[in-house]
Short mmCIF file of all heavy atoms in Angstrom, two decimals:
data_model
loop_
_atom_site.label_atom_id
_atom_site.label_comp_id
_atom_site.label_asym_id
_atom_site.label_seq_id
_atom_site.Cartn_x
_atom_site.Cartn_y
_atom_site.Cartn_z
N ILE A 1 86.82 114.36 1.62
CA ILE A 1 86.87 115.00 0.29
C ILE A 1 88.27 115.51 0.01
O ILE A 1 88.80 115.36 -1.09
CB ILE A 1 85.82 116.14 0.20
CG1 ILE A 1 84.42 115.54 0.17
CG2 ILE A 1 86.06 117.00 -1.04
CD1 ILE A 1 83.30 116.55 0.31
N GLY A 2 88.92 116.10 1.03
CA GLY A 2 90.29 116.56 0.87
C GLY A 2 91.23 115.43 0.54
O GLY A 2 92.11 115.55 -0.31
N LEU A 3 91.08 114.30 1.22
CA LEU A 3 91.89 113.12 0.93
C LEU A 3 91.67 112.63 -0.49
O LEU A 3 92.61 112.24 -1.18
CB LEU A 3 91.56 111.99 1.91
CG LEU A 3 92.39 111.92 3.18
CD1 LEU A 3 91.89 110.78 4.06
CD2 LEU A 3 93.84 111.73 2.87
N LEU A 4 90.42 112.63 -0.90
CA LEU A 4 90.07 112.16 -2.24
C LEU A 4 90.78 113.01 -3.30
O LEU A 4 91.39 112.49 -4.22
CB LEU A 4 88.55 112.23 -2.44
CG LEU A 4 88.01 111.70 -3.75
CD1 LEU A 4 88.29 110.21 -3.88
CD2 LEU A 4 86.52 111.96 -3.84
N PHE A 5 90.73 114.34 -3.14
CA PHE A 5 91.39 115.21 -4.10
C PHE A 5 92.91 115.11 -4.03
O PHE A 5 93.59 115.21 -5.03
CB PHE A 5 90.96 116.67 -3.92
CG PHE A 5 89.61 116.95 -4.50
CD1 PHE A 5 88.56 117.34 -3.67
CD2 PHE A 5 89.38 116.84 -5.85
CE1 PHE A 5 87.32 117.60 -4.19
CE2 PHE A 5 88.13 117.10 -6.38
CZ PHE A 5 87.09 117.48 -5.55
N ALA A 6 93.45 114.91 -2.84
CA ALA A 6 94.90 114.82 -2.69
C ALA A 6 95.46 113.57 -3.35
O ALA A 6 96.59 113.55 -3.81
CB ALA A 6 95.27 114.83 -1.20
N SER A 7 94.65 112.51 -3.43
CA SER A 7 95.14 111.28 -4.03
C SER A 7 94.99 111.24 -5.54
O SER A 7 95.53 110.37 -6.20
CB SER A 7 94.41 110.07 -3.40
OG SER A 7 93.04 110.12 -3.76
N CYS A 8 94.24 112.19 -6.09
CA CYS A 8 94.05 112.23 -7.54
C CYS A 8 95.27 112.85 -8.21
O CYS A 8 95.97 113.68 -7.63
CB CYS A 8 92.83 113.08 -7.91
SG CYS A 8 91.27 112.36 -7.39
N LYS A 9 95.51 112.45 -9.46
CA LYS A 9 96.57 113.08 -10.25
C LYS A 9 95.98 114.35 -10.83
O LYS A 9 95.17 114.32 -11.74
CB LYS A 9 97.03 112.14 -11.36
CG LYS A 9 98.17 112.70 -12.17
CD LYS A 9 98.63 111.74 -13.24
CE LYS A 9 99.75 112.35 -14.03
NZ LYS A 9 100.16 111.50 -15.12
N VAL A 10 96.39 115.48 -10.29
CA VAL A 10 95.82 116.76 -10.68
C VAL A 10 96.83 117.50 -11.54
O VAL A 10 98.02 117.51 -11.26
CB VAL A 10 95.49 117.61 -9.42
CG1 VAL A 10 94.96 118.96 -9.82
CG2 VAL A 10 94.50 116.88 -8.54
N SER A 11 96.36 118.10 -12.61
CA SER A 11 97.22 118.97 -13.40
C SER A 11 96.67 120.37 -13.28
O SER A 11 95.50 120.56 -12.95
CB SER A 11 97.25 118.52 -14.86
OG SER A 11 95.98 118.60 -15.42
N TYR A 12 97.52 121.35 -13.52
CA TYR A 12 97.03 122.71 -13.44
C TYR A 12 96.87 123.26 -14.84
O TYR A 12 97.50 122.82 -15.78
CB TYR A 12 97.93 123.59 -12.57
CG TYR A 12 99.31 123.87 -13.12
CD1 TYR A 12 99.52 124.95 -13.96
CD2 TYR A 12 100.39 123.08 -12.78
CE1 TYR A 12 100.78 125.23 -14.46
CE2 TYR A 12 101.65 123.35 -13.27
CZ TYR A 12 101.83 124.43 -14.11
OH TYR A 12 103.08 124.71 -14.59
N SER A 13 96.02 124.24 -14.95
CA SER A 13 95.77 124.84 -16.25
C SER A 13 95.82 126.35 -16.10
O SER A 13 95.27 126.91 -15.16
CB SER A 13 94.38 124.41 -16.75
OG SER A 13 94.13 124.96 -18.01
N LEU A 14 96.52 127.00 -17.01
CA LEU A 14 96.68 128.43 -16.99
C LEU A 14 96.64 128.90 -18.44
O LEU A 14 97.48 128.52 -19.25
CB LEU A 14 98.02 128.79 -16.35
CG LEU A 14 98.44 130.24 -16.28
CD1 LEU A 14 97.51 131.00 -15.33
CD2 LEU A 14 99.87 130.36 -15.79
N ARG A 15 95.62 129.67 -18.80
CA ARG A 15 95.48 130.16 -20.18
C ARG A 15 95.53 129.02 -21.18
O ARG A 15 96.34 129.00 -22.11
CB ARG A 15 96.57 131.17 -20.50
CG ARG A 15 96.50 132.42 -19.68
CD ARG A 15 97.56 133.38 -20.15
NE ARG A 15 97.72 134.43 -19.16
CZ ARG A 15 98.79 135.17 -19.04
NH1 ARG A 15 99.81 134.99 -19.83
NH2 ARG A 15 98.86 136.09 -18.13
N ASP A 16 94.71 128.02 -20.98
CA ASP A 16 94.65 126.86 -21.87
C ASP A 16 95.93 126.04 -21.88
O ASP A 16 96.22 125.33 -22.83
CB ASP A 16 94.28 127.27 -23.30
CG ASP A 16 92.90 127.88 -23.39
OD1 ASP A 16 92.02 127.45 -22.62
OD2 ASP A 16 92.70 128.79 -24.20
N VAL A 17 96.73 126.16 -20.84
CA VAL A 17 97.96 125.39 -20.71
C VAL A 17 97.67 124.25 -19.76
O VAL A 17 97.12 124.45 -18.69
CB VAL A 17 99.10 126.27 -20.15
CG1 VAL A 17 100.33 125.44 -19.87
CG2 VAL A 17 99.42 127.39 -21.13
N SER A 18 98.05 123.05 -20.18
CA SER A 18 97.81 121.88 -19.35
C SER A 18 99.13 121.17 -19.08
O SER A 18 99.76 120.68 -20.00
CB SER A 18 96.83 120.94 -20.05
OG SER A 18 96.58 119.81 -19.26
N ILE A 19 99.51 121.15 -17.80
CA ILE A 19 100.77 120.54 -17.39
C ILE A 19 100.50 119.64 -16.18
O ILE A 19 99.90 120.10 -15.21
CB ILE A 19 101.81 121.61 -17.03
CG1 ILE A 19 102.07 122.52 -18.23
CG2 ILE A 19 103.10 120.97 -16.54
CD1 ILE A 19 102.91 123.74 -17.93
N PRO A 20 100.92 118.39 -16.23
CA PRO A 20 100.73 117.52 -15.06
C PRO A 20 101.39 118.13 -13.82
O PRO A 20 102.43 118.78 -13.91
CB PRO A 20 101.42 116.22 -15.47
CG PRO A 20 101.44 116.24 -16.96
CD PRO A 20 101.56 117.69 -17.34
N ALA A 21 100.79 117.89 -12.67
CA ALA A 21 101.27 118.48 -11.42
C ALA A 21 102.68 118.04 -11.05
O ALA A 21 103.40 118.78 -10.38
CB ALA A 21 100.30 118.14 -10.29
N ASN A 22 103.11 116.87 -11.49
CA ASN A 22 104.45 116.38 -11.12
C ASN A 22 105.55 116.99 -11.99
O ASN A 22 106.73 116.79 -11.71
CB ASN A 22 104.50 114.86 -11.18
CG ASN A 22 104.23 114.31 -12.57
OD1 ASN A 22 103.53 114.92 -13.38
ND2 ASN A 22 104.75 113.13 -12.84
N VAL A 23 105.21 117.74 -13.01
CA VAL A 23 106.21 118.39 -13.87
C VAL A 23 106.56 119.74 -13.26
O VAL A 23 105.70 120.60 -13.09
CB VAL A 23 105.69 118.57 -15.31
CG1 VAL A 23 106.70 119.32 -16.16
CG2 VAL A 23 105.38 117.22 -15.93
N LYS A 24 107.83 119.92 -12.94
CA LYS A 24 108.26 121.14 -12.25
C LYS A 24 109.31 121.95 -13.01
O LYS A 24 109.42 123.15 -12.82
CB LYS A 24 108.85 120.79 -10.86
CG LYS A 24 107.94 119.98 -9.97
CD LYS A 24 106.77 120.78 -9.49
CE LYS A 24 105.95 119.94 -8.52
NZ LYS A 24 104.59 120.37 -8.43
N THR A 25 110.12 121.29 -13.84
CA THR A 25 111.25 121.98 -14.47
C THR A 25 111.25 121.81 -15.99
O THR A 25 110.73 120.83 -16.52
CB THR A 25 112.60 121.45 -13.92
OG1 THR A 25 112.68 120.04 -14.17
CG2 THR A 25 112.73 121.73 -12.43
N VAL A 26 111.86 122.77 -16.66
CA VAL A 26 111.98 122.72 -18.11
C VAL A 26 113.36 123.26 -18.50
O VAL A 26 113.85 124.22 -17.91
CB VAL A 26 110.86 123.52 -18.83
CG1 VAL A 26 110.91 124.99 -18.47
CG2 VAL A 26 110.91 123.34 -20.34
#
């Protein structure tokens, strides 16, 4: 299950903010 989640493209969400996990800088 851990491998399955690690291979997925996961984005994080904070207060209705959606940013892909690979985006780090602005």
